[in-house]
Amino acid sequence: MKEEMLTLTQEWDKTFPQSDKTEHKKITFHNRYGITLAADMYIPKNAEGKLPAIAVCGPFGAVKEQCSGLYAQTLAERGFLTIAFDPSFTGESGGQPRYMASPDINTEDFMAAVDFLSVQENIDPDRIGILGICGWGGMAVNTAALDTRIKATVASTMYDMTRVNANGYFDSEDSEEKRYEKKVALNAQRIADYKSGEYALGGGVIDPLPEDAPFFVKDYHSYYKTDRGYHPRSLNSNGGWNVIGCMSFMNQPILKYSNEIRSAVMIMHGDKAHSFYFGKDAFENMTKDSKYTDNKELLVIEGASHTDLYDGGENNAIPFDKLAEFYNKYLK
């Protein structure tokens, strides 16, 4: 198993300040497709013995220098060894062509992170958790349904990317006719891309922001296109995914077996988030007809929008103490 040599930025280029309570270093690991992934590792200062560990990823179209790194560093301040990684085909991670997404490969990315953490000398392999934000919240739940090594999972302000690609926002395009229209357009784009020899980008968050933009677009713009969260390697801050980058999500539901998850899962969502329905429905589906509900939790953050759970927003909406309490309980 050979890893690709990646060029990693060594200076601090995050959207959040560096903590003096943790040690930070760049690391790489590989998944079973041979793609080398780049990550930031955060270690509690003066830590001793084998530590519990958490792998963090998301949001969908973001990089580890944004939200996932903030979550990872903050949880490291609370005693966990953490890594925040860039998914395959994005950020500093490997994988060609760039800016593609895959329900399978991106679930594998989380499992590969567990592989890596399981063999580190300073980590207890029986105390590993994961945390997914936005689209990687859905990936995290899917991973928990597949990977029995994971003891605790948090999905924050989650999207079900298979549902939104197949049904549109708020299920407004949930019909055979609408899906067929999308498929026709995407397959036409495949031909155009093949002819041109390059993949057309779909565009990141719209900028400048139209006055009549929906609330959720304004919410995204306030994070990805401002000093609050802009990063030059972030897809959402710049050119976005390839137009056909998420095509396979349309007929591959990722949460089908979530009610068979035996390990602990917390779904955390703001009640003012446009995406709240994803979290509520995912929790309902995860617990319906399930024998394993005692360790499942839906944590609703009152007044929080979707991006408030990216970086806390104006009111420090992310309940990091509650997250630490959850992980401490189940990574013991």
Side-chain angles (χ1 to χ4, degrees), residues 181-193:
E181 289 176 11
K182 291 181 190 178
K183 294 171 189 176
V184 168
L186 288 169
N187 283 299
Q189 185 65 53
R190 292 179 70 104
I191 298 297
D193 289 348

Side-chain angles (χ1 to χ4, degrees), residues 236-279:
N236 293 339
S237 291
N238 297 283
W241 297 93
N242 296 331
V243 174
I244 65 167
C246 302
M247 188 173 181
S248 66
F249 283 82
M250 290 186 66
N251 63 346
Q252 297 186 37
I254 57 176
L255 303 181
K256 182 174 177 60
Y257 297 107
S258 64
N259 68 339
E260 297 181 4
I261 299 173
R262 300 188 182 189
S263 58
V265 179
M266 173 192 285
I267 293 180
M268 179 175 72
H269 229 116
D271 65 352
K272 301 302 181 186
H274 70 276
S275 53
F276 190 24
Y277 70 103
F278 289 125

Side-chain angles (χ1 to χ4, degrees), residues 129-154:
I130 61 174
L131 190 154
I133 308 162
C134 184
W136 259 265
M139 298 294 182
V141 175
N142 189 44
T143 307
L146 186 61
D147 196 327
T148 57
R149 301 168 298 175
I150 296 168
K151 301 303 188 294
T153 299
V154 170

